[in-house]
Amino acid sequence: MEHTSLLERILRGVAVSAILAFFLFPIFWIFLMSFQTNEQVLRIPPSLFFEPTTINYTSLITGKLQTAAGSLDLAFMQNLWNSVLLSTCSVALALLLGVPAAYAFARFKFPLSEDIAFTLLSFRFAPPLLVLLPLALYFQDIGLNDTYIGLIWIYQLIALPLILWIVRGYFEDISPDIEYAYRIAGHSWLQTFTRIAIPLARPGIAAAGLLAFIFCWNNFVFALILASADKQPVTVGALAFVTASGIQYGQIAAAIVLSVTPTLALALYAQRYLVEGLSLGAVKG
Amino acid sequence: MAQIELRSLAKSYKTGKVLDGLSLSVDEGEIVCVFGPSGAGKTVLLRLIAGVEELDAGSIFLEGRDVTEAPPETRGVGIAFQNFALFPHMSAFDNIGSALTARGASKATIKAKVEKVASLLKISHVLGHAPRELSNGQKQRTALARALAADPKIVLLDDPLRNVDAKLRYEMRLELPSLLRASGATVLYVTQDYKEAMAIGDRIAVLLDGRFEQIAKPSAIYRDPTSMGVARLFGDPTINLIPIRPRAGDGGTLCEIGGATVALGASHAAAAGRAVLLGLRPEALQVTDAAGADGFPVEVIAVTPLNEKTVLLMRTPEGQEIFASEAGVENEARRPGPAFAHFDPARALAFDEASGTRIGGGA
């Protein structure tokens, strides 16, 4: 709009700032908290000015938590590593299975295709707790309880439907004529899939992969029930900060900052692939 | 030897039959235009030949080889889609060279061939551009270049001029035949513009109701259509169809139009005694102020000069609106009002009213 008045622009700026402040303030506050001791955090009234300390970070990284009641062992770095391992492997596996499946659902009409696709989506409808109890029993029987493989498998319930349905939409948006043209030019079905369909659906694959990663990263109940301490991700590991001698707010804040970092880095990296409009101008009519 | 041989192809979708017993044989180096109204199944036909759709029945032979069951990448045809279907993540150069790359040609060969076809189509200066940076005309030429680059023996063009502006369409209509002939390829060219079909095709195959209603040279299709359906698809304004009931009379067949008795001559003898639609091309009608022999009365309603011709909208005494077109714009005196229309019986076409089949007149 070229005819926006000065007043309009000012109002828009104010509104945007208000919304940003509303959403970013908690994160900013947590970031500040991560450099404060528990006493500073609990001070009333709270203050923006304090002597920064890195004690929270060092205790997380070294795994020794000093509290009023004495020293406590923390497995935070192990938890963080578990989160990275579980989420990365789950999303990688889900992409490996989900992208070809999404292509099949988008391009080929086979018997029951809609029903199968919907069944996969319906995994997301049921409350996880409903399936967890029988699942835990089965996992104990087949020896998958408290294993990375078992957890990665279960995380497919989160990642696979998401990737399948998002990427399917992107594949459907590619004009089949583009793929036909490539095949008629003399390329096999597989070459067409890897050199036409996948590059053109890349924004969708990046978006779905990122979302699936965030959902896996943030999952709590599956790992809580199906894994023991050494396999648990940060979401479950954070429970350790609620100690007998009180809640360690400073460490919690530092843990949050540390555990947000990988996801944030991934999101920033994936951003370049999220650019849409790549396929614009390919077909007409 | 026929380069393209289609034997009783059939294809139907849930919505109904699209092609039903369609056959065609195209000789080497020939350009055949597949012409028909939209929705006739022209695009489906090309896709069947290219192998991206499966046949219900029938068989397809390309270069003498039965390819009915062959996957598209082995058929060796070049194709240009109506919507261009360029690969959006590749440059124009890579788009054009894709068929050569697939055949494992060397980099030098690819470069030479792409540049050759690009210069023929005047797109050498945009080879480095991505499809989204090209104008519609350049996209169309890129798509065409891609179809021709690997020197395929058989080229399928699906209404390639549909999405380009009128000026470029006119230019390409003149350029394309020589370009295609120079490539030596056998071409199947789909269009729904009868002028394009007549300008480009050695023969025209008229696709109606899932079959080829008529396959003939452009001039023959126009002068000598086998059915009313074909006659109506060619010509602008469209052919006039006047209901008559001819009878045998003194010295030939006669009929009544608007109360006047008109002689139809010897070529309409078979039409006598039947319900007939008399097909009169607008340019076959002469309009005069005086009655004369064999004229029928009309009321001229509108006179539209179109530079190279003047189109008259007229009404017969029965109330039917018909068109006449006069070459040139000399007749400035032509005004709306009563007049008389005449025609050469040899140029009139008689169609059976019920079936639409030709039963008389014409060449």
Side-chain angles (χ1 to χ4, degrees), chain A residues 177-178 180-188 195 200 280-284, chain B residues 47 50 52 73 83 86-89 98-99 102-103 132 136 139 146:
Chain A
D177 284 351
I178 295 176
Y180 290 158
Y182 202 67
R183 281 205 74 182
I184 294 167
H187 300 89
S188 69
R195 296 189 204 157
L200 292 184
L280 274 181
V283 294
K284 155 97 189 183
Chain B
R47 287 172 184 227
V52 292
E73 61 268 28
N83 59 13
L86 297 174
F87 313 129
H89 55 310
S98 58
R103 281 166 181 69
R132 64 175 172 280
N136 258 354
K139 279 182 203 168
R146 187 175 68 183

PDB file of all heavy atoms in Angstrom, chain A residues 177-178 180-188 195 200 280-284, chain B residues 47 50 52 73 83 86-89 98-99 102-103 132 136 139 146:
ATOM      1  N   ASP A 177       2.283 -32.679 -15.310  1.00  0.00           N
ATOM      2  CA  ASP A 177       2.889 -32.508 -16.630  1.00  0.00           C
ATOM      3  C   ASP A 177       4.399 -32.318 -16.539  1.00  0.00           C
ATOM      4  O   ASP A 177       5.141 -32.740 -17.428  1.00  0.00           O
ATOM      5  CB  ASP A 177       2.266 -31.300 -17.345  1.00  0.00           C
ATOM      6  CG  ASP A 177       0.880 -31.629 -17.879  1.00  0.00           C
ATOM      7  OD1 ASP A 177       0.507 -32.818 -17.841  1.00  0.00           O
ATOM      8  OD2 ASP A 177       0.176 -30.708 -18.314  1.00  0.00           O
ATOM      9  N   ILE A 178       4.864 -31.648 -15.469  1.00  0.00           N
ATOM     10  CA  ILE A 178       6.303 -31.433 -15.325  1.00  0.00           C
ATOM     11  C   ILE A 178       7.001 -32.780 -15.185  1.00  0.00           C
ATOM     12  O   ILE A 178       8.034 -33.032 -15.808  1.00  0.00           O
ATOM     13  CB  ILE A 178       6.583 -30.535 -14.098  1.00  0.00           C
ATOM     14  CG1 ILE A 178       5.991 -29.151 -14.338  1.00  0.00           C
ATOM     15  CG2 ILE A 178       8.079 -30.431 -13.831  1.00  0.00           C
ATOM     16  CD1 ILE A 178       6.138 -28.222 -13.160  1.00  0.00           C
ATOM     17  N   TYR A 180       5.714 -35.694 -16.172  1.00  0.00           N
ATOM     18  CA  TYR A 180       5.538 -36.399 -17.449  1.00  0.00           C
ATOM     19  C   TYR A 180       6.604 -35.953 -18.444  1.00  0.00           C
ATOM     20  O   TYR A 180       7.213 -36.776 -19.131  1.00  0.00           O
ATOM     21  CB  TYR A 180       4.158 -36.110 -18.040  1.00  0.00           C
ATOM     22  CG  TYR A 180       3.011 -36.725 -17.295  1.00  0.00           C
ATOM     23  CD1 TYR A 180       1.727 -36.207 -17.411  1.00  0.00           C
ATOM     24  CD2 TYR A 180       3.194 -37.842 -16.482  1.00  0.00           C
ATOM     25  CE1 TYR A 180       0.662 -36.757 -16.734  1.00  0.00           C
ATOM     26  CE2 TYR A 180       2.138 -38.402 -15.800  1.00  0.00           C
ATOM     27  CZ  TYR A 180       0.862 -37.857 -15.937  1.00  0.00           C
ATOM     28  OH  TYR A 180      -0.189 -38.407 -15.267  1.00  0.00           O
ATOM     29  N   ALA A 181       6.813 -34.638 -18.510  1.00  0.00           N
ATOM     30  CA  ALA A 181       7.783 -34.108 -19.468  1.00  0.00           C
ATOM     31  C   ALA A 181       9.160 -34.706 -19.213  1.00  0.00           C
ATOM     32  O   ALA A 181       9.881 -35.060 -20.145  1.00  0.00           O
ATOM     33  CB  ALA A 181       7.827 -32.585 -19.379  1.00  0.00           C
ATOM     34  N   TYR A 182       9.513 -34.840 -17.935  1.00  0.00           N
ATOM     35  CA  TYR A 182      10.830 -35.365 -17.594  1.00  0.00           C
ATOM     36  C   TYR A 182      10.939 -36.843 -17.962  1.00  0.00           C
ATOM     37  O   TYR A 182      11.969 -37.300 -18.438  1.00  0.00           O
ATOM     38  CB  TYR A 182      11.103 -35.163 -16.097  1.00  0.00           C
ATOM     39  CG  TYR A 182      12.565 -35.181 -15.729  1.00  0.00           C
ATOM     40  CD1 TYR A 182      13.411 -34.172 -16.151  1.00  0.00           C
ATOM     41  CD2 TYR A 182      13.100 -36.203 -14.960  1.00  0.00           C
ATOM     42  CE1 TYR A 182      14.756 -34.182 -15.821  1.00  0.00           C
ATOM     43  CE2 TYR A 182      14.436 -36.218 -14.617  1.00  0.00           C
ATOM     44  CZ  TYR A 182      15.258 -35.201 -15.046  1.00  0.00           C
ATOM     45  OH  TYR A 182      16.585 -35.206 -14.721  1.00  0.00           O
ATOM     46  N   ARG A 183       9.850 -37.568 -17.745  1.00  0.00           N
ATOM     47  CA  ARG A 183       9.886 -38.996 -18.083  1.00  0.00           C
ATOM     48  C   ARG A 183       9.948 -39.188 -19.591  1.00  0.00           C
ATOM     49  O   ARG A 183      10.714 -40.008 -20.097  1.00  0.00           O
ATOM     50  CB  ARG A 183       8.644 -39.710 -17.543  1.00  0.00           C
ATOM     51  CG  ARG A 183       8.754 -40.017 -16.077  1.00  0.00           C
ATOM     52  CD  ARG A 183       7.886 -41.187 -15.703  1.00  0.00           C
ATOM     53  NE  ARG A 183       8.435 -42.457 -16.167  1.00  0.00           N
ATOM     54  CZ  ARG A 183       7.833 -43.608 -15.996  1.00  0.00           C
ATOM     55  NH1 ARG A 183       6.667 -43.668 -15.412  1.00  0.00           N
ATOM     56  NH2 ARG A 183       8.376 -44.715 -16.431  1.00  0.00           N
ATOM     57  N   ILE A 184       9.131 -38.425 -20.321  1.00  0.00           N
ATOM     58  CA  ILE A 184       9.106 -38.583 -21.774  1.00  0.00           C
ATOM     59  C   ILE A 184      10.472 -38.221 -22.354  1.00  0.00           C
ATOM     60  O   ILE A 184      10.906 -38.777 -23.354  1.00  0.00           O
ATOM     61  CB  ILE A 184       7.979 -37.726 -22.386  1.00  0.00           C
ATOM     62  CG1 ILE A 184       6.627 -38.263 -21.919  1.00  0.00           C
ATOM     63  CG2 ILE A 184       8.041 -37.728 -23.900  1.00  0.00           C
ATOM     64  CD1 ILE A 184       5.468 -37.351 -22.188  1.00  0.00           C
ATOM     65  N   ALA A 185      11.177 -37.290 -21.680  1.00  0.00           N
ATOM     66  CA  ALA A 185      12.513 -36.926 -22.142  1.00  0.00           C
ATOM     67  C   ALA A 185      13.484 -38.092 -21.989  1.00  0.00           C
ATOM     68  O   ALA A 185      14.614 -38.012 -22.462  1.00  0.00           O
ATOM     69  CB  ALA A 185      13.022 -35.716 -21.366  1.00  0.00           C
ATOM     70  N   GLY A 186      13.058 -39.153 -21.308  1.00  0.00           N
ATOM     71  CA  GLY A 186      13.881 -40.351 -21.258  1.00  0.00           C
ATOM     72  C   GLY A 186      14.397 -40.723 -19.883  1.00  0.00           C
ATOM     73  O   GLY A 186      15.365 -41.473 -19.775  1.00  0.00           O
ATOM     74  N   HIS A 187      13.791 -40.179 -18.827  1.00  0.00           N
ATOM     75  CA  HIS A 187      14.253 -40.502 -17.483  1.00  0.00           C
ATOM     76  C   HIS A 187      13.324 -41.517 -16.833  1.00  0.00           C
ATOM     77  O   HIS A 187      12.127 -41.519 -17.089  1.00  0.00           O
ATOM     78  CB  HIS A 187      14.316 -39.240 -16.619  1.00  0.00           C
ATOM     79  CG  HIS A 187      15.253 -38.203 -17.156  1.00  0.00           C
ATOM     80  ND1 HIS A 187      14.832 -37.240 -18.047  1.00  0.00           N
ATOM     81  CD2 HIS A 187      16.561 -37.984 -16.953  1.00  0.00           C
ATOM     82  CE1 HIS A 187      15.857 -36.473 -18.354  1.00  0.00           C
ATOM     83  NE2 HIS A 187      16.923 -36.897 -17.723  1.00  0.00           N
ATOM     84  N   SER A 188      13.912 -42.338 -15.965  1.00  0.00           N
ATOM     85  CA  SER A 188      13.115 -43.374 -15.321  1.00  0.00           C
ATOM     86  C   SER A 188      12.220 -42.756 -14.247  1.00  0.00           C
ATOM     87  O   SER A 188      12.361 -41.584 -13.888  1.00  0.00           O
ATOM     88  CB  SER A 188      14.030 -44.409 -14.673  1.00  0.00           C
ATOM     89  OG  SER A 188      14.695 -43.824 -13.571  1.00  0.00           O
ATOM     90  N   ARG A 195      14.818 -36.144  -8.977  1.00  0.00           N
ATOM     91  CA  ARG A 195      15.333 -34.905  -9.573  1.00  0.00           C
ATOM     92  C   ARG A 195      14.261 -33.874  -9.861  1.00  0.00           C
ATOM     93  O   ARG A 195      14.563 -32.709 -10.141  1.00  0.00           O
ATOM     94  CB  ARG A 195      16.078 -35.219 -10.873  1.00  0.00           C
ATOM     95  CG  ARG A 195      17.298 -36.058 -10.584  1.00  0.00           C
ATOM     96  CD  ARG A 195      18.149 -36.188 -11.798  1.00  0.00           C
ATOM     97  NE  ARG A 195      18.970 -37.388 -11.707  1.00  0.00           N
ATOM     98  CZ  ARG A 195      19.480 -38.000 -12.765  1.00  0.00           C
ATOM     99  NH1 ARG A 195      19.220 -37.531 -13.966  1.00  0.00           N
ATOM    100  NH2 ARG A 195      20.225 -39.059 -12.610  1.00  0.00           N
ATOM    101  N   LEU A 200      11.279 -29.969  -6.065  1.00  0.00           N
ATOM    102  CA  LEU A 200      10.164 -29.024  -6.135  1.00  0.00           C
ATOM    103  C   LEU A 200       9.356 -29.016  -4.846  1.00  0.00           C
ATOM    104  O   LEU A 200       8.714 -28.029  -4.512  1.00  0.00           O
ATOM    105  CB  LEU A 200       9.262 -29.345  -7.330  1.00  0.00           C
ATOM    106  CG  LEU A 200       9.896 -29.091  -8.687  1.00  0.00           C
ATOM    107  CD1 LEU A 200       8.908 -29.342  -9.809  1.00  0.00           C
ATOM    108  CD2 LEU A 200      10.416 -27.670  -8.777  1.00  0.00           C
ATOM    109  N   LEU A 280       6.756 -21.239  -9.144  1.00  0.00           N
ATOM    110  CA  LEU A 280       6.006 -20.228  -9.884  1.00  0.00           C
ATOM    111  C   LEU A 280       6.573 -20.073 -11.285  1.00  0.00           C
ATOM    112  O   LEU A 280       7.774 -20.036 -11.476  1.00  0.00           O
ATOM    113  CB  LEU A 280       6.091 -18.881  -9.169  1.00  0.00           C
ATOM    114  CG  LEU A 280       5.063 -18.641  -8.074  1.00  0.00           C
ATOM    115  CD1 LEU A 280       5.260 -17.271  -7.471  1.00  0.00           C
ATOM    116  CD2 LEU A 280       3.664 -18.779  -8.623  1.00  0.00           C
ATOM    117  N   GLY A 281       5.690 -19.961 -12.257  1.00  0.00           N
ATOM    118  CA  GLY A 281       6.151 -19.686 -13.605  1.00  0.00           C
ATOM    119  C   GLY A 281       6.528 -20.915 -14.396  1.00  0.00           C
ATOM    120  O   GLY A 281       6.982 -20.815 -15.516  1.00  0.00           O
ATOM    121  N   ALA A 282       6.340 -22.073 -13.800  1.00  0.00           N
ATOM    122  CA  ALA A 282       6.701 -23.286 -14.524  1.00  0.00           C
ATOM    123  C   ALA A 282       5.616 -23.670 -15.508  1.00  0.00           C
ATOM    124  O   ALA A 282       5.892 -24.048 -16.625  1.00  0.00           O
ATOM    125  CB  ALA A 282       6.929 -24.435 -13.556  1.00  0.00           C
ATOM    126  N   VAL A 283       4.394 -23.572 -15.081  1.00  0.00           N
ATOM    127  CA  VAL A 283       3.299 -23.949 -15.956  1.00  0.00           C
ATOM    128  C   VAL A 283       2.343 -22.791 -16.089  1.00  0.00           C
ATOM    129  O   VAL A 283       2.345 -21.862 -15.285  1.00  0.00           O
ATOM    130  CB  VAL A 283       2.531 -25.191 -15.434  1.00  0.00           C
ATOM    131  CG1 VAL A 283       3.417 -26.392 -15.466  1.00  0.00           C
ATOM    132  CG2 VAL A 283       1.990 -24.945 -14.059  1.00  0.00           C
ATOM    133  N   LYS A 284       1.563 -22.860 -17.115  1.00  0.00           N
ATOM    134  CA  LYS A 284       0.634 -21.766 -17.392  1.00  0.00           C
ATOM    135  C   LYS A 284      -0.690 -22.381 -17.783  1.00  0.00           C
ATOM    136  O   LYS A 284      -0.736 -23.376 -18.474  1.00  0.00           O
ATOM    137  CB  LYS A 284       1.215 -20.922 -18.533  1.00  0.00           C
ATOM    138  CG  LYS A 284       0.210 -20.152 -19.320  1.00  0.00           C
ATOM    139  CD  LYS A 284       0.125 -18.742 -18.821  1.00  0.00           C
ATOM    140  CE  LYS A 284      -1.045 -18.048 -19.472  1.00  0.00           C
ATOM    141  NZ  LYS A 284      -1.182 -16.684 -19.128  1.00  0.00           N
TER     142      LYS A 284
ATOM    143  N   ARG B  47      -1.272 -37.995 -24.664  1.00  0.00           N
ATOM    144  CA  ARG B  47      -0.702 -38.642 -23.479  1.00  0.00           C
ATOM    145  C   ARG B  47      -0.650 -40.150 -23.631  1.00  0.00           C
ATOM    146  O   ARG B  47       0.258 -40.800 -23.123  1.00  0.00           O
ATOM    147  CB  ARG B  47      -1.532 -38.281 -22.254  1.00  0.00           C
ATOM    148  CG  ARG B  47      -1.283 -36.860 -21.869  1.00  0.00           C
ATOM    149  CD  ARG B  47      -2.198 -36.366 -20.801  1.00  0.00           C
ATOM    150  NE  ARG B  47      -1.893 -34.958 -20.630  1.00  0.00           N
ATOM    151  CZ  ARG B  47      -1.713 -34.360 -19.477  1.00  0.00           C
ATOM    152  NH1 ARG B  47      -1.902 -35.025 -18.374  1.00  0.00           N
ATOM    153  NH2 ARG B  47      -1.388 -33.110 -19.428  1.00  0.00           N
ATOM    154  N   ALA B  50       2.339 -40.752 -25.814  1.00  0.00           N
ATOM    155  CA  ALA B  50       3.585 -40.526 -25.076  1.00  0.00           C
ATOM    156  C   ALA B  50       3.790 -41.573 -23.993  1.00  0.00           C
ATOM    157  O   ALA B  50       4.902 -41.762 -23.512  1.00  0.00           O
ATOM    158  CB  ALA B  50       3.578 -39.136 -24.455  1.00  0.00           C
ATOM    159  N   VAL B  52       2.106 -41.723 -20.930  1.00  0.00           N
ATOM    160  CA  VAL B  52       1.881 -41.332 -19.540  1.00  0.00           C
ATOM    161  C   VAL B  52       0.453 -41.645 -19.090  1.00  0.00           C
ATOM    162  O   VAL B  52       0.115 -41.455 -17.936  1.00  0.00           O
ATOM    163  CB  VAL B  52       2.219 -39.848 -19.284  1.00  0.00           C
ATOM    164  CG1 VAL B  52       3.710 -39.631 -19.407  1.00  0.00           C
ATOM    165  CG2 VAL B  52       1.460 -38.931 -20.211  1.00  0.00           C
ATOM    166  N   GLU B  73       9.672 -43.411 -21.052  1.00  0.00           N
ATOM    167  CA  GLU B  73      11.061 -43.022 -21.302  1.00  0.00           C
ATOM    168  C   GLU B  73      11.704 -43.811 -22.434  1.00  0.00           C
ATOM    169  O   GLU B  73      12.760 -43.447 -22.928  1.00  0.00           O
ATOM    170  CB  GLU B  73      11.898 -43.121 -20.018  1.00  0.00           C
ATOM    171  CG  GLU B  73      12.003 -44.498 -19.391  1.00  0.00           C
ATOM    172  CD  GLU B  73      10.915 -44.737 -18.340  1.00  0.00           C
ATOM    173  OE1 GLU B  73       9.835 -44.130 -18.452  1.00  0.00           O
ATOM    174  OE2 GLU B  73      11.147 -45.540 -17.422  1.00  0.00           O
ATOM    175  N   ASN B  83       0.636 -26.314 -21.240  1.00  0.00           N
ATOM    176  CA  ASN B  83       0.995 -25.413 -20.135  1.00  0.00           C
ATOM    177  C   ASN B  83       2.510 -25.307 -19.973  1.00  0.00           C
ATOM    178  O   ASN B  83       2.993 -24.912 -18.922  1.00  0.00           O
ATOM    179  CB  ASN B  83       0.334 -25.881 -18.838  1.00  0.00           C
ATOM    180  CG  ASN B  83       0.736 -27.291 -18.464  1.00  0.00           C
ATOM    181  OD1 ASN B  83       1.681 -27.843 -19.028  1.00  0.00           O
ATOM    182  ND2 ASN B  83       0.052 -27.883 -17.520  1.00  0.00           N
ATOM    183  N   LEU B  86       7.647 -26.552 -17.932  1.00  0.00           N
ATOM    184  CA  LEU B  86       9.108 -26.456 -17.829  1.00  0.00           C
ATOM    185  C   LEU B  86       9.523 -26.887 -16.427  1.00  0.00           C
ATOM    186  O   LEU B  86       8.740 -26.790 -15.484  1.00  0.00           O
ATOM    187  CB  LEU B  86       9.552 -25.020 -18.094  1.00  0.00           C
ATOM    188  CG  LEU B  86       9.234 -24.498 -19.494  1.00  0.00           C
ATOM    189  CD1 LEU B  86       9.569 -23.026 -19.604  1.00  0.00           C
ATOM    190  CD2 LEU B  86       9.977 -25.291 -20.550  1.00  0.00           C
ATOM    191  N   PHE B  87      10.776 -27.362 -16.309  1.00  0.00           N
ATOM    192  CA  PHE B  87      11.275 -27.737 -14.987  1.00  0.00           C
ATOM    193  C   PHE B  87      11.701 -26.457 -14.280  1.00  0.00           C
ATOM    194  O   PHE B  87      12.692 -25.838 -14.658  1.00  0.00           O
ATOM    195  CB  PHE B  87      12.450 -28.710 -15.118  1.00  0.00           C
ATOM    196  CG  PHE B  87      12.183 -29.826 -16.102  1.00  0.00           C
ATOM    197  CD1 PHE B  87      13.078 -30.124 -17.110  1.00  0.00           C
ATOM    198  CD2 PHE B  87      11.002 -30.555 -16.034  1.00  0.00           C
ATOM    199  CE1 PHE B  87      12.822 -31.136 -18.027  1.00  0.00           C
ATOM    200  CE2 PHE B  87      10.735 -31.560 -16.941  1.00  0.00           C
ATOM    201  CZ  PHE B  87      11.653 -31.856 -17.941  1.00  0.00           C
ATOM    202  N   PRO B  88      10.973 -26.048 -13.235  1.00  0.00           N
ATOM    203  CA  PRO B  88      11.159 -24.710 -12.670  1.00  0.00           C
ATOM    204  C   PRO B  88      12.502 -24.502 -11.994  1.00  0.00           C
ATOM    205  O   PRO B  88      12.950 -23.371 -11.866  1.00  0.00           O
ATOM    206  CB  PRO B  88      10.020 -24.580 -11.661  1.00  0.00           C
ATOM    207  CG  PRO B  88       9.533 -25.946 -11.412  1.00  0.00           C
ATOM    208  CD  PRO B  88       9.891 -26.790 -12.581  1.00  0.00           C
ATOM    209  N   HIS B  89      13.159 -25.585 -11.567  1.00  0.00           N
ATOM    210  CA  HIS B  89      14.414 -25.431 -10.849  1.00  0.00           C
ATOM    211  C   HIS B  89      15.621 -25.595 -11.760  1.00  0.00           C
ATOM    212  O   HIS B  89      16.737 -25.703 -11.283  1.00  0.00           O
ATOM    213  CB  HIS B  89      14.467 -26.431  -9.697  1.00  0.00           C
ATOM    214  CG  HIS B  89      14.258 -27.853 -10.142  1.00  0.00           C
ATOM    215  ND1 HIS B  89      13.220 -28.229 -10.944  1.00  0.00           N
ATOM    216  CD2 HIS B  89      14.959 -28.971  -9.900  1.00  0.00           C
ATOM    217  CE1 HIS B  89      13.294 -29.530 -11.172  1.00  0.00           C
ATOM    218  NE2 HIS B  89      14.340 -30.008 -10.555  1.00  0.00           N
ATOM    219  N   SER B  98      17.431 -31.554 -21.467  1.00  0.00           N
ATOM    220  CA  SER B  98      17.113 -32.679 -20.584  1.00  0.00           C
ATOM    221  C   SER B  98      17.049 -34.020 -21.315  1.00  0.00           C
ATOM    222  O   SER B  98      17.518 -35.035 -20.805  1.00  0.00           O
ATOM    223  CB  SER B  98      15.803 -32.412 -19.831  1.00  0.00           C
ATOM    224  OG  SER B  98      14.752 -32.206 -20.742  1.00  0.00           O
ATOM    225  N   ALA B  99      16.481 -34.021 -22.519  1.00  0.00           N
ATOM    226  CA  ALA B  99      16.371 -35.290 -23.240  1.00  0.00           C
ATOM    227  C   ALA B  99      17.746 -35.780 -23.683  1.00  0.00           C
ATOM    228  O   ALA B  99      17.998 -36.977 -23.752  1.00  0.00           O
ATOM    229  CB  ALA B  99      15.451 -35.144 -24.443  1.00  0.00           C
ATOM    230  N   ALA B 102      19.501 -37.268 -20.686  1.00  0.00           N
ATOM    231  CA  ALA B 102      18.970 -38.599 -20.396  1.00  0.00           C
ATOM    232  C   ALA B 102      19.574 -39.645 -21.321  1.00  0.00           C
ATOM    233  O   ALA B 102      19.738 -40.799 -20.941  1.00  0.00           O
ATOM    234  CB  ALA B 102      17.456 -38.596 -20.527  1.00  0.00           C
ATOM    235  N   ARG B 103      19.924 -39.238 -22.545  1.00  0.00           N
ATOM    236  CA  ARG B 103      20.504 -40.190 -23.499  1.00  0.00           C
ATOM    237  C   ARG B 103      22.000 -40.335 -23.298  1.00  0.00           C
ATOM    238  O   ARG B 103      22.661 -41.026 -24.063  1.00  0.00           O
ATOM    239  CB  ARG B 103      20.229 -39.726 -24.931  1.00  0.00           C
ATOM    240  CG  ARG B 103      18.824 -40.042 -25.415  1.00  0.00           C
ATOM    241  CD  ARG B 103      18.531 -39.254 -26.687  1.00  0.00           C
ATOM    242  NE  ARG B 103      17.186 -39.483 -27.193  1.00  0.00           N
ATOM    243  CZ  ARG B 103      16.078 -39.066 -26.588  1.00  0.00           C
ATOM    244  NH1 ARG B 103      16.154 -38.419 -25.445  1.00  0.00           N
ATOM    245  NH2 ARG B 103      14.891 -39.303 -27.105  1.00  0.00           N
ATOM    246  N   ARG B 132      10.973 -18.964 -14.480  1.00  0.00           N
ATOM    247  CA  ARG B 132      10.126 -17.885 -13.964  1.00  0.00           C
ATOM    248  C   ARG B 132      10.584 -16.519 -14.459  1.00  0.00           C
ATOM    249  O   ARG B 132       9.854 -15.544 -14.341  1.00  0.00           O
ATOM    250  CB  ARG B 132      10.071 -17.919 -12.434  1.00  0.00           C
ATOM    251  CG  ARG B 132      11.385 -17.668 -11.758  1.00  0.00           C
ATOM    252  CD  ARG B 132      11.242 -17.597 -10.241  1.00  0.00           C
ATOM    253  NE  ARG B 132      12.556 -17.534  -9.625  1.00  0.00           N
ATOM    254  CZ  ARG B 132      13.349 -18.567  -9.425  1.00  0.00           C
ATOM    255  NH1 ARG B 132      12.938 -19.765  -9.784  1.00  0.00           N
ATOM    256  NH2 ARG B 132      14.539 -18.430  -8.894  1.00  0.00           N
ATOM    257  N   ASN B 136       6.045 -15.266 -21.493  1.00  0.00           N
ATOM    258  CA  ASN B 136       5.245 -16.388 -21.980  1.00  0.00           C
ATOM    259  C   ASN B 136       5.722 -16.899 -23.330  1.00  0.00           C
ATOM    260  O   ASN B 136       5.786 -18.102 -23.558  1.00  0.00           O
ATOM    261  CB  ASN B 136       3.775 -15.969 -22.091  1.00  0.00           C
ATOM    262  CG  ASN B 136       2.978 -16.498 -20.931  1.00  0.00           C
ATOM    263  OD1 ASN B 136       3.507 -17.256 -20.113  1.00  0.00           O
ATOM    264  ND2 ASN B 136       1.732 -16.106 -20.855  1.00  0.00           N
ATOM    265  N   LYS B 139       8.850 -18.838 -22.811  1.00  0.00           N
ATOM    266  CA  LYS B 139       8.546 -20.140 -22.207  1.00  0.00           C
ATOM    267  C   LYS B 139       8.058 -21.108 -23.278  1.00  0.00           C
ATOM    268  O   LYS B 139       8.451 -22.265 -23.314  1.00  0.00           O
ATOM    269  CB  LYS B 139       7.442 -19.993 -21.154  1.00  0.00           C
ATOM    270  CG  LYS B 139       7.936 -19.501 -19.824  1.00  0.00           C
ATOM    271  CD  LYS B 139       6.765 -19.454 -18.856  1.00  0.00           C
ATOM    272  CE  LYS B 139       7.053 -18.484 -17.752  1.00  0.00           C
ATOM    273  NZ  LYS B 139       5.896 -18.183 -16.945  1.00  0.00           N
ATOM    274  N   ARG B 146      12.725 -27.768 -26.191  1.00  0.00           N
ATOM    275  CA  ARG B 146      12.951 -28.979 -25.411  1.00  0.00           C
ATOM    276  C   ARG B 146      12.418 -30.205 -26.150  1.00  0.00           C
ATOM    277  O   ARG B 146      13.012 -31.280 -26.111  1.00  0.00           O
ATOM    278  CB  ARG B 146      12.269 -28.839 -24.046  1.00  0.00           C
ATOM    279  CG  ARG B 146      12.570 -29.968 -23.102  1.00  0.00           C
ATOM    280  CD  ARG B 146      11.988 -29.720 -21.740  1.00  0.00           C
ATOM    281  NE  ARG B 146      10.532 -29.760 -21.756  1.00  0.00           N
ATOM    282  CZ  ARG B 146       9.771 -29.518 -20.694  1.00  0.00           C
ATOM    283  NH1 ARG B 146      10.335 -29.216 -19.544  1.00  0.00           N
ATOM    284  NH2 ARG B 146       8.468 -29.562 -20.782  1.00  0.00           N
TER     285      ARG B 146
END
